[in-house]
Amino acid sequence: MIAPLALALLQAAVLTVGPTGAFRTVTAALAAAAPGDTIRVAAGVYREHPVLTTPVVLIGEPGAILDGGLAGTLLRVEAPATIRGLTFRRSGRLQAEEHAGILAERADGLVIEDCRFEEVLFGIYIKESHGVIIRHNEIIGKDFPVALRGDGIRLWSSHDGRVEDNHVARVRDLVIWFSNGTVVRGNVVRDSRYGLHFMYSRDNRFEDNAFLANHVGAFIMYSQNITFRNNLFAAARGTTGRGLGFKDSDGITAERNVLVKNAVGLSLDNSPTTAGVRNAFRDNLVAYNDVGVLLLPSVHSNDFVGNAFRDNLVPVRVTGGGTAQRNQWKGNYWSDYAGFDENRDGVGDTPYRYDRLSDDLLARHDELRLFAVSPATTALDLLSRVLPLLAPEAIIVDSAPVLQAPRADAPPRGSRPVGILLAVGLTVGAGAAAWRLRRPFGRAA
Amino acid sequence: MTPAALLVRREIATALRARWFAAYAAIFLLSGLLLAAVGGGDALIAGYRGFARAFAGLVHLALLFVPLMALLPATAAIADERESGALEYLLAQPVTATEVYLGKWVGLAAALGLALTVGFGAAGAVAVARGVPPGLLAVLFGQVVLLALVFVAIGLGLSALTTSRARATTVAVVVWLGLVALGTLGILIAFIRWGAPAWALTVWTFVNPIEAFRLGVVSALDPDLSLLGPAGARIVDRVGPYGTNALAALSLALWALVPGLAGLAVFSRPK
Amino acid sequence: MIRARDLAKQFGHHRVLDGITLDLAPGERVALLGLNGAGKTTLIRCLLGLIPFEGTLQIAGCNVHTDGRRVRERVGYVPQRAPHFDGTLAETVEFFSRLRGSDHGAVARRLLDLGLDLAVHGAKPVRTLSGGMLQKVLLALALGSDVSVLLLDEPTANLDPRARREFLRGLRQVREETTVLLASHRLADVEAVADRLLVLHGGRIAFDGTMDELWARAGAAETLWVRVPPAMRDAARARVESVVHTPAFVSNGTAFGVRVAHDARADVLATLREADIRVEDFWTESPSLGSLLSGALGLPIDDSSAAGDRE
């Protein structure tokens, strides 16, 4: 095994592409290359749609650009190559034909790194290629309405891949389907529809990724043994906005993630779905969301332990109303907990209990969410405090609420002296004006 | 100085000297500072700042008190002077009823605006110091002022329509309760019990100035209105995020004018 | 100066003014009289353009309906009771002076003439001032801009006698060419100010003439009280009744009274002297304006129905 490879490397040639190179086009170099050869592409714009069928190392020097002229797929890959440092620009725009920057099929062990994709429909599209590495690429989609865009990265029936340190923006989704054993680490996906659209896959790990300002941060369906660790899910807004969502998935472990400023931080639908399986949500920070955790009515057997629920408008909601008590809530921090800790063991003396009447009402009737933070619904809550008869069943009870937020946050940042001066000036100015205007008459006498 | 300008200056002075002005400025100042200190600068988490507490606090503070505080002096403005005879004496001077009425309107509006500026300016300074974007604060402040103007107009209109101060105040409190809570609760019940159409909820939200204000504030903080569920999505779908803001502001602007103008029509048409 | 034609005003079904036609010349001093509810205040409010009315009304050549502001520039107005304005006296004086376009100094001087020094009282809040002071202030303000017409709506009704005298004295400052219309219930005020009397009744002007003519119309309206020694009382009564042809009535033991015409008082006393009846004392008691009007209007004399003193 090793000897032939070493032999091949020894025999490997370097083919240069460019105005002064041996080849004028990438297509020509690829046609001439033998397996194991290296093709170096000099700076310049190459208007061609090459097809890679030989296992080569294709390297773009800084400024080497493949330009598709807004037609077709830029580079087709059908061999386990390494592609590095190239810029792929202006693919076609037809979703039906899956126009992409790189479309790879049956190219096990393909490596794509340090490449840049601009104005492409799909960025990197991997079909039935196992052990692929996609690392440190930058992918920016076409400036289209989201439904007309393609996926930044699509991994399809491709097991044991690694997607690391990529930066993906303004695409439709990042898709991983039918792909087991994938590791997704250190990526940033922003301003897209699904930061991660994940289905029918097992044994995947997601670590240190950031999903920012997508419609949905990450959505996991029909999958098993999924681990999310140290990810950031932020600013997923819109009606369907979710930081992280699970549907029909088992064996979830979510630890030390931050879910902040989403319409819904975490949503669970029929997960876990198999009897006897439990999902674990530990030490996550759920903050500043409209709804911290949204559960569909039948959801049970999830363990929420040691999480911090901080200043969500609604910490936990059950769609359609009702209780979330068939899950375990224990030892979490709740910023709206009003109890005390007399014995100073860090745990509140009374359970944290969430049973707001208005939230129950809004959960039962979706249309009534129009009246979120209305004084009328606040009046209802006051009423239910006075008349316990009106109070709904507790949505959650945490028997051992933690008093100290388990994570230290950045403190408020003092800044903007001009704004402060302006505001102080307003007060002083208004006060002075009021003082002067008090006596417009009668000075003469 | 023209009679109109004289009247305006007198009304401003009268309002500024009234006990309510100092009380309001103090209340706005204290509550604004408290709010800004407690919630104005939520910690930065992963580069994101939460306004939930400050926002909910501001909305409720503004919605509960600003309307009432505007209504009470406004409803008393004309009824008071009518009772004391000052109004008739004033109208016997070379002025028109329209000038007298507009003088009261501008005077009250200016005084309330100043009281709010005193309070929110200081609170704004604290909030900005704690990291709240000044632009957002400016939008919110503008909407609070607009809300105050709405209830000055409503109060003044009621004042022109009613003969005694006691009755004007009673009507003001009823209107306030109706707009702040009872009306919305009624709609909620109608929806839950009798299946009132969802569009009625939306219409009410735009028509009721209190709810329109809330919509404007929510829209300023969250242009998608994702907080407001499917109804919010439909609104954004129909008019877009800026449209929501503009419609809410339009509703407030209409409220800030129409009741006052109705009162003017009644007041300047002698009986 | 004031010219009204078929002036009418209706409140609901009640026609308060029912065809007033009237001309007041510049400089005329006119009293507006009438029983309670006769419409005096309504007429004044019409003149000020504060309420709509039927008919035409011109003041100083301006149509009250269409040109109310210019009318009010030419008309000074003193109401029955000064409202308690917000702020100090100086502020109030300055505000209304400027509103009326009057010279602030002139108003202050006039106030000084009326015995009110702004330098002393200016800083006082209006609500601490007495009613008399306030009425003087309103009078000074009303006169401030040399108005053509001065409308006084029972300006002394709420004043004590001294303040009332001072106010009436102040009215003498009014320029000769200013037309004064004084609505009043007080004979003394009317006598002090007016040389022409208008009586409103039934929505119309029921009388327009001088005081003497009103007395004549009313007939015997004054009461002459005479005190004689008790023994002579019955003789004296018979003697007097033969002269005045009306029954005398007795009061407080020794005195008796008869209603006499204004100019017949001397006759009564002469008769008694002729009969060698010693008159220990005599005095006349003016009728209330109400009874005078009732007399003039031919209504049954009933002081309680008349607009008597309110104090």
Side-chain angles (χ1 to χ4, degrees):
Chain A
M1 177 84 198
I2 290 180
L5 185 67
L7 197 67
L9 282 175
L10 282 173
Q11 294 169 337
V14 175
L15 289 63
T16 54
V17 180
T20 57
F23 300 91
R24 287 282 180 272
T25 65
V26 179
T27 307
L30 281 171
D37 283 353
T38 295
I39 299 173
R40 299 198 75 95
V41 184
V45 177
Y46 303 88
R47 296 176 208 282
E48 52 185 315
H49 299 79
V51 179
L52 192 158
T53 51
T54 319
V56 294
V57 178
L58 177 62
I59 298 175
E61 290 175 357
I65 298 170
L66 268 184
D67 189 322
L70 300 176
T73 289
L74 280 154
L75 176 65
R76 289 177 182 279
V77 179
E78 292 163 10
T82 295
I83 301 161
R84 182 184 302 138
L86 269 169
T87 293
F88 297 83
R89 203 162 75 177
R90 303 210 300 161
S91 77
R93 50 174 292 181
L94 297 181
Q95 279 184 339
E97 296 184 14
E98 298 173 338
H99 290 157
I102 295 176
L103 172 61
E105 231 167 324
R106 283 180 290 278
D108 290 358
L110 170 67
V111 177
I112 302 171
E113 55 188 10
D114 301 324
C115 290
R116 196 177 151 78
F117 299 78
E118 300 171 354
E119 283 187 72
V120 289
L121 189 67
F122 286 75
I124 300 171
Y125 194 156
I126 310 290
K127 287 182 184 173
E128 295 170 48
S129 310
H130 306 302
V132 165
I133 296 175
I134 300 171
R135 185 191 294 140
H136 208 265
N137 301 288
E138 187 164 355
I139 302 171
I140 298 163
K142 288 181 182 285
D143 191 7
F144 286 169
V146 72
L148 299 179
R149 297 180 203 156
D151 300 329
I153 297 174
R154 176 180 275 202
L155 227 57
W156 199 267
S157 298
S158 303
H159 301 309
D160 304 318
R162 299 170 79 89
V163 179
E164 293 177 342
D165 301 324
N166 300 287
H167 192 142
V168 181
R170 199 175 72 195
V171 298
R172 188 173 62 188
D173 307 330
L174 195 156
V175 172
I176 300 177
W177 282 27
F178 311 110
S179 301
N180 302 333
T182 315
V183 175
V184 180
R185 183 185 291 137
N187 302 284
V188 177
V189 186
R190 63 191 317 152
D191 304 318
S192 302
R193 189 174 69 180
Y194 280 84
L196 176 65
H197 194 287
F198 187 91
M199 287 231 262
Y200 304 110
S201 304
R202 279 179 284 115
D203 307 319
N204 292 274
R205 270 191 297 144
F206 300 88
E207 293 172 344
D208 303 316
N209 302 288
F211 301 94
L212 310 174
N214 305 295
H215 292 195
V216 173
F219 207 77
I220 314 302
M221 298 162 91
Y222 317 112
S223 298
Q224 295 82 40
N225 292 337
I226 314 297
T227 302
F228 279 94
R229 196 171 283 135
N230 283 331
N231 300 285
L232 169 63
F233 303 90
R237 310 293 308 170
T239 8
T240 55
R242 268 144 188 62
L244 174 60
F246 293 95
K247 178 173 166 48
D248 294 288
S249 295
D250 290 332
I252 305 161
T253 303
E255 295 177 328
R256 297 195 300 278
N257 300 288
V258 175
L259 300 98
V260 63
K261 199 92 180 175
N262 305 289
V264 171
L266 170 70
S267 79
L268 290 177
D269 175 4
N270 198 29
S271 302
T273 180
T274 309
V277 171
R278 295 190 78 86
N279 293 330
F281 298 89
R282 281 190 294 264
D283 301 328
N284 300 289
L285 172 59
V286 183
Y288 304 158
N289 303 289
D290 295 350
V291 176
V293 176
L294 180 71
L295 302 173
L296 262 75
S298 57
V299 170
H300 58 88
S301 304
N302 292 287
D303 298 319
F304 291 90
V305 177
N307 302 288
F309 291 89
R310 185 177 170 143
D311 292 326
N312 302 289
L313 274 174
V314 177
V316 179
R317 170 177 286 168
V318 178
T319 310
T323 178
Q325 279 296 84
R326 293 171 66 201
N327 302 281
Q328 185 194 193
W329 305 87
K330 193 161 185 193
N332 299 290
Y333 165 82
W334 307 92
S335 61
D336 57 337
Y337 176 64
F340 299 97
D341 178 18
E342 292 284 359
N343 56 3
R344 304 207 167 249
D345 61 355
V347 175
D349 299 337
T350 49
Y352 170 79
R353 181 186 171 84
Y354 187 72
D355 60 352
R356 213 184 288 160
L357 175 59
S358 65
D359 280 345
D360 188 58
L361 213 58
L362 266 54
R364 286 176 198 284
H365 305 278
D366 237 11
E367 288 291 339
L368 295 188
R369 286 167 57 196
L370 183 57
F371 296 105
V373 291
S374 159
T377 50
T378 305
L380 270 184
D381 294 335
L382 289 176
L383 208 63
S384 80
R385 288 268 168 281
V386 181
L387 300 169
L389 205 74
L390 288 174
E393 187 186 358
I395 297 165
I396 51 166
V397 176
D398 186 329
S399 54
V402 170
L403 274 110
Q404 198 65 45
R407 291 175 78 103
D409 304 313
R413 197 174 44 193
S415 64
R416 303 188 182 88
V418 176
I420 296 169
L421 276 179
L422 216 69
V424 169
L426 266 182
T427 286
V428 174
W435 186 254
R436 250 193 74 79
L437 288 169
R438 290 174 87 235
R439 305 215 169 273
F441 307 114
R443 293 174 201 280
Chain B
M1 216 184 276
T2 64
L6 280 165
L7 285 165
V8 166
R9 295 209 54 182
R10 173 170 176 269
E11 291 301 335
I12 291 178
T14 305
L16 292 180
R17 284 201 294 240
R19 251 164 288 157
W20 63 259
F21 173 79
Y24 284 13
I27 289 171
F28 289 142
L29 188 69
L30 289 180
S31 51
L33 282 176
L34 197 70
L35 202 62
V38 171
D42 279 328
L44 212 58
I45 295 179
Y48 291 89
R49 198 179 289 286
F51 296 107
R53 253 186 316 176
F55 150 70
L58 172 87
V59 168
H60 282 97
L61 177 78
L63 285 183
L64 289 178
F65 295 111
V66 170
L68 195 60
M69 288 175 150
L71 270 177
L72 289 177
T75 45
I78 290 173
D80 251 7
E81 292 207 341
R82 213 197 291 278
E83 275 179 8
S84 76
L87 184 64
E88 178 158 286
Y89 183 75
L90 193 58
L91 289 170
Q93 309 306 319
V95 297
T96 63
T98 305
E99 286 168 346
V100 169
Y101 186 91
L102 291 179
K104 292 206 173 295
W105 197 347
V106 175
L108 276 168
L112 262 176
L114 281 174
L116 283 169
T117 310
V118 167
F120 275 76
V126 174
V128 170
R130 304 201 59 191
V132 178
L136 180 66
L137 272 181
V139 170
L140 295 183
F141 176 63
Q143 276 171 335
V144 170
V145 171
L146 205 51
L147 184 71
L149 293 184
V150 165
F151 283 87
V152 166
I154 292 177
L156 205 58
L158 288 174
S159 194
L161 289 171
T162 49
T163 44
S164 81
R165 174 178 190 165
R167 177 175 301 183
T169 304
T170 310
V171 173
V173 171
V174 169
V175 166
W176 176 76
L177 273 176
L179 291 176
V180 161
L182 297 183
T184 302
L185 287 180
I187 287 261
L188 289 184
I189 291 167
F191 178 81
I192 296 170
R193 296 297 300 272
W194 301 298
W199 59 259
L201 304 179
T202 307
V203 168
W204 170 255
T205 303
F206 276 104
V207 166
N208 178 348
I210 298 255
E211 296 295 336
F213 167 83
R214 183 178 59 89
L215 203 60
V217 173
V218 171
S219 170
L221 285 160
D222 174 21
D224 296 331
L225 298 186
S226 44
L227 178 62
L228 305 184
R234 277 199 307 275
I235 293 171
V236 173
D237 215 39
R238 189 72 64 84
V239 297
Y242 295 106
T244 312
N245 234 322
L247 270 183
L250 177 70
S251 170
L252 287 178
L254 282 177
W255 273 102
L257 286 176
V258 173
L261 292 176
L264 173 61
V266 171
F267 185 76
S268 61
R269 186 192 65 222
K271 283 139 287 279
Chain C
M1 189 51 59
I2 296 180
R3 187 183 140 90
R5 291 291 175 271
D6 300 321
L7 188 64
K9 175 69 193 176
Q10 193 156 338
F11 287 117
H13 292 296
H14 180 45
R15 212 161 167 78
V16 183
L17 301 177
D18 185 17
I20 306 273
T21 292
L22 185 66
D23 284 285
L24 302 188
E28 265 197 296
R29 302 291 196 263
V30 183
L32 182 62
L33 310 175
L35 303 180
N36 248 2
K40 301 186 294 288
T41 296
T42 302
L43 179 58
I44 286 181
R45 295 180 70 187
C46 288
L47 291 170
L48 286 164
L50 296 178
I51 52 174
F53 50 83
E54 299 159 41
T56 61
L57 184 53
Q58 284 191 326
I59 295 181
C62 298
N63 184 322
V64 172
H65 254 155
T66 58
D67 214 356
R69 183 205 297 271
R70 281 187 58 199
V71 165
R72 290 189 287 276
E73 270 170 17
R74 312 288 300 275
V75 176
Y77 168 61
V78 179
Q80 181 174 337
R81 184 196 292 269
H84 281 176
F85 300 108
D86 186 64
T88 66
L89 178 61
E91 286 170 336
T92 303
V93 167
E94 191 196 334
F95 169 69
F96 282 106
S97 299
R98 291 173 69 174
L99 199 61
R100 299 191 60 78
S102 318
D103 174 29
H104 184 236
V107 174
R109 268 196 304 284
R110 207 182 296 270
L111 268 176
L112 205 57
D113 291 344
L114 288 168
L116 210 158
D117 190 348
L118 266 188
V120 175
H121 300 287
K124 292 182 182 169
V126 170
R127 69 188 129 72
T128 64
L129 301 178
S130 70
M133 267 173 145
L134 277 175
Q135 290 299 69
K136 284 186 203 169
V137 170
L138 296 197
L139 180 61
L141 285 168
L143 297 176
S145 51
D146 289 336
V147 287
S148 309
V149 174
L150 182 61
L151 296 179
L152 306 160
D153 190 2
E154 306 190 31
T156 65
N158 294 296
L159 302 187
D160 59 53
R162 196 175 138 226
R164 193 179 301 149
R165 276 196 303 278
E166 285 180 3
F167 185 85
L168 293 175
R169 201 180 309 135
L171 275 180
R172 287 184 208 135
Q173 294 183 4
V174 178
R175 292 186 313 158
E176 260 184 30
E177 57 271 39
T178 298
T179 303
V180 176
L181 184 64
L182 167 76
S184 183
H185 281 130
R186 248 174 236 289
L187 214 47
D189 292 10
V190 173
E191 282 178 324
V193 174
D195 39 40
R196 179 179 170 191
L197 278 58
L198 299 173
V199 177
L200 272 180
H201 186 71
R204 294 169 172 277
I205 292 177
F207 174 88
D208 181 355
T210 63
M211 183 63 98
D212 287 344
E213 287 166 358
L214 185 68
W215 278 108
R217 173 86 76 91
E222 230 174 358
T223 303
L224 175 66
W225 290 93
V226 179
R227 195 162 77 212
V228 296
M232 294 180 173
R233 200 177 65 192
D234 291 339
R237 277 182 61 185
R239 188 85 195 176
V240 169
E241 282 173 354
S242 71
V243 176
V244 299
H245 309 299
T246 54
F249 45 92
V250 180
S251 172
N252 59 13
T254 58
F256 66 91
V258 285
R259 286 187 179 276
V260 293
H262 194 55
D263 50 5
R265 291 176 294 191
D267 295 346
V268 170
L269 295 176
T271 292
L272 292 173
R273 193 173 304 124
E274 280 166 21
D276 281 335
I277 293 170
R278 188 159 59 86
V279 176
E280 291 178 332
D281 197 1
F282 73 94
W283 64 96
T284 58
E285 188 179 87
S286 292
S288 70
L289 190 57
S291 59
L292 179 64
L293 292 180
S294 297
L297 297 170
L299 300 175
I301 292 179
D302 175 8
D303 277 305
S304 67
S305 79
D309 296 347
R310 289 181 184 173
E311 286 156 322

